[in-house]
Amino acid sequence: MTLDMLLARAGLLAATLALAAGCGKSGDAGKAELPPPIVTVAPPAERTVTRYELATGRAEPLEQVEIRARVSGYLMDVAFEPGTEVKRDALLCEIDPEPYKADLARAKASRATAEADLATAEADLIRAKSREATTKISYDREETALKKGVGAEATRDVAKGMYDEAVATGRASAAKIKQSDAKIEEAKANVRNAELNLGYCTVRAPIAGKVGDKLVTPGNLVTGGIGSTTLLTTVVADEKMDVAFDADENTLQRIQQAVRDGKIKAPAAGEIPAEAGVAVHGTTYPLKGLINFSDNRVDPKTGTIRMKARFDNPRPDKGQRLLAAGMYARVRVPIGEPVKAMLVPDSAFGSDQGIRHLYVVGADNKAVRMDAATGALEGDLRVVESVVVPGEGKPRPLAPGDRVIVSGIQRVRPGMVVDPKPATK
């Protein structure tokens, strides 16, 4: 290779290196540092709140009755509209009464016969007693004459036989009276049973409440008596409702301690004020009632105890009553008087392995993570009992001057510099 060619190659290599160096400097100059993430901050809200113990449960009626046929026969009529409210003793169904009317007539006839037999037995007894008295006189006279030696033994014996026969006839008549009395009582029982069966042909509501669906239509044969009787419908009392819920041991102990300390004002012995709400109420608890039942033992398998709170369930001008049997409901028990507390939006919390935390903007606009002990939800705000920096210091309450990050926590890490913007009201 000639000298000229070597020099040409060296120049090309130098130009390539210079170009590469120039490109590297241009890239470093164009690389910009990312700005701090923008977050929204707000001070905690200071409000007066009441502390509560919370639970969930199901609405239970105070009374519920299965309406079953008590006599067998053909169903003639169903007089109720399914899903409507009925008053106590309202007509629900009618079963063909004709066979039971015939039974009642036979029972009354049997009673009349027994009463006639009693009258006959009583008359027989009167005649027997009269004959007994007459024959007794004759027998005594013959016995006296025989002792004086002026009478005959055979005549005395005939008189004695007639007297003994009259006594036996009187005893038989008395026995017939007892038998007739027993038959009358039996006849009366048969009449009463026939009257009951005839009355059972008319099925009425034993309680006031909401009636269920028609389970049997007219024309079908229904079975009564004892055992596998035909279910016609159900009635559920709905003027008041119990909400049954399970409270754990700690909750039970806190409620009991609050009662002992006088923090819970019980209207009467064994009653504790309670509030309830259903799904349509969102996070509010508009229903006011009383806990009036606590079971007599804690279930050792679950560590919970069954409790019930009773609430009025009035009928509105339009539509159905609010609570229905089996409906899900939330229950809370106010503990003590209202106190001041610090609250932040519930959306401001993060969660790490079950530990709830929030971020506060500290010095130099650095984000500080704080683990939070939280309380009840008040609308969109959550009560903050205390906060603590993980591994540092002791828990403290939130201060009015704390700048809590309420939006943008997904982009924040502990110690990160942020660009805080105040939240708009």
Side-chain angles (χ1 to χ4, degrees):
M1 182 177 293
T2 64
L3 180 61
D4 291 338
M5 294 177 64
L6 290 174
L7 291 174
R9 284 192 174 185
L12 179 60
L13 179 60
T16 302
L17 293 175
L19 179 61
C23 292
K25 291 178 180 180
S26 175
D28 291 339
K31 185 176 180 180
E33 186 175 348
L34 294 176
I38 298 175
V39 296
T40 304
V41 297
E46 185 175 5
R47 292 185 182 177
T48 300
V49 299
T50 303
R51 302 184 187 278
Y52 296 95
E53 294 294 340
L54 305 176
T56 57
R58 296 281 178 181
E60 293 183 353
L62 274 63
E63 297 178 283
Q64 52 185 346
V65 180
E66 292 183 340
I67 307 300
R68 294 183 176 272
R70 301 182 73 172
V71 291
S72 300
Y74 286 96
L75 187 65
M76 294 182 62
D77 185 32
V78 175
F80 66 88
E81 288 296 327
T84 60
E85 292 192 16
V86 296
K87 295 181 179 180
R88 184 173 182 174
D89 292 329
L91 177 64
L92 299 179
C93 302
E94 286 189 274
I95 298 170
D96 184 9
E98 294 304 321
Y100 299 98
K101 288 180 180 179
D103 290 344
L104 178 58
R106 283 192 294 269
K108 287 183 177 180
S110 297
R111 183 181 63 184
T113 301
E115 290 172 347
D117 291 342
L118 174 61
T120 301
E122 289 174 342
D124 290 343
L125 179 59
I126 292 173
R127 287 192 295 269
K129 288 297 182 181
S130 177
R131 180 171 175 76
E132 181 181 342
T134 303
T135 56
K136 179 70 167 57
I137 294 173
S138 298
Y139 168 62
D140 289 343
R141 185 172 57 246
E142 294 298 329
E143 182 70 21
T144 302
L146 181 61
K147 288 181 179 179
K148 292 180 178 181
V150 295
E153 186 175 353
T155 304
R156 191 275 313 268
D157 291 342
V158 171
K160 185 178 185 304
M162 294 177 66
Y163 170 68
D164 290 342
E165 181 181 357
V167 171
T169 302
R171 291 177 178 174
S173 297
K176 285 183 178 179
I177 289 176
K178 290 184 178 179
Q179 186 179 28
S180 297
D181 285 336
K183 287 184 177 180
I184 288 175
E185 293 302 318
E186 181 182 2
K188 287 180 178 179
N190 290 335
V191 169
R192 180 56 182 158
N193 186 61
E195 289 175 341
L196 287 174
N197 288 337
L198 181 59
Y200 293 152
C201 291
T202 301
V203 182
R204 297 186 179 275
I207 61 173
K210 190 173 183 179
V211 67
D213 199 5
K214 296 179 183 179
L215 302 181
V216 183
T217 54
N220 285 287
L221 181 65
V222 297
T223 302
I226 300 175
S228 301
T229 57
T230 302
L231 180 63
L232 302 174
T233 188
T234 58
V235 178
V236 173
D238 56 359
E239 187 175 356
K240 293 179 180 289
M241 281 284 176
D242 285 343
V243 176
F245 59 94
D246 294 323
D248 59 65
E249 294 182 48
N250 293 333
T251 299
L252 175 65
Q253 293 173 13
R254 287 194 295 268
I255 292 175
Q256 292 177 337
Q257 186 62 47
V259 172
R260 289 191 290 268
D261 294 342
K263 295 180 179 179
I264 294 180
K265 306 300 182 183
E271 294 182 340
I272 299 173
E275 302 172 359
V278 295
V280 71
H281 296 139
T283 58
T284 62
Y285 294 77
L287 305 179
K288 311 301 179 184
L290 294 170
I291 295 176
N292 59 3
F293 169 78
S294 178
D295 209 348
N296 56 6
R297 66 189 297 270
V298 174
D299 188 340
K301 295 181 180 179
T302 62
T304 60
I305 188 170
R306 193 72 164 172
M307 304 180 79
K308 291 183 180 181
R310 183 163 298 173
F311 299 91
D312 289 332
N313 191 30
R315 184 176 182 179
D317 295 334
K318 295 182 180 179
Q320 303 285 338
R321 299 178 191 265
L322 176 64
L323 295 177
M327 181 180 288
Y328 163 84
R330 294 170 290 106
V331 179
R332 68 181 184 184
V333 181
I335 304 295
E337 299 296 328
V339 295
K340 290 184 178 180
M342 292 296 185
L343 299 90
V344 300
D346 198 43
S347 58
F349 291 94
S351 180
D352 183 8
Q353 296 183 350
I355 300 175
R356 304 199 75 179
H357 62 270
L358 48 76
Y359 285 94
V360 174
V361 177
D364 301 326
N365 287 341
K366 290 185 177 180
V368 179
R369 169 177 163 163
M370 291 188 170
D371 293 344
T374 58
L377 189 65
E378 297 285 335
D380 295 332
L381 302 179
R382 176 76 66 177
V383 174
V384 179
E385 305 286 355
S386 63
V387 292
V388 61
V389 178
E392 299 181 15
K394 296 181 179 180
R396 68 169 179 85
L398 277 177
D402 285 333
R403 294 185 295 170
V404 179
I405 298 178
V406 297
S407 177
I409 63 171
Q410 297 83 359
R411 301 186 297 273
V412 179
R413 298 291 180 271
M416 177 185 291
V417 176
V418 297
D419 182 7
K421 303 293 183 184
T424 56
K425 295 184 180 180

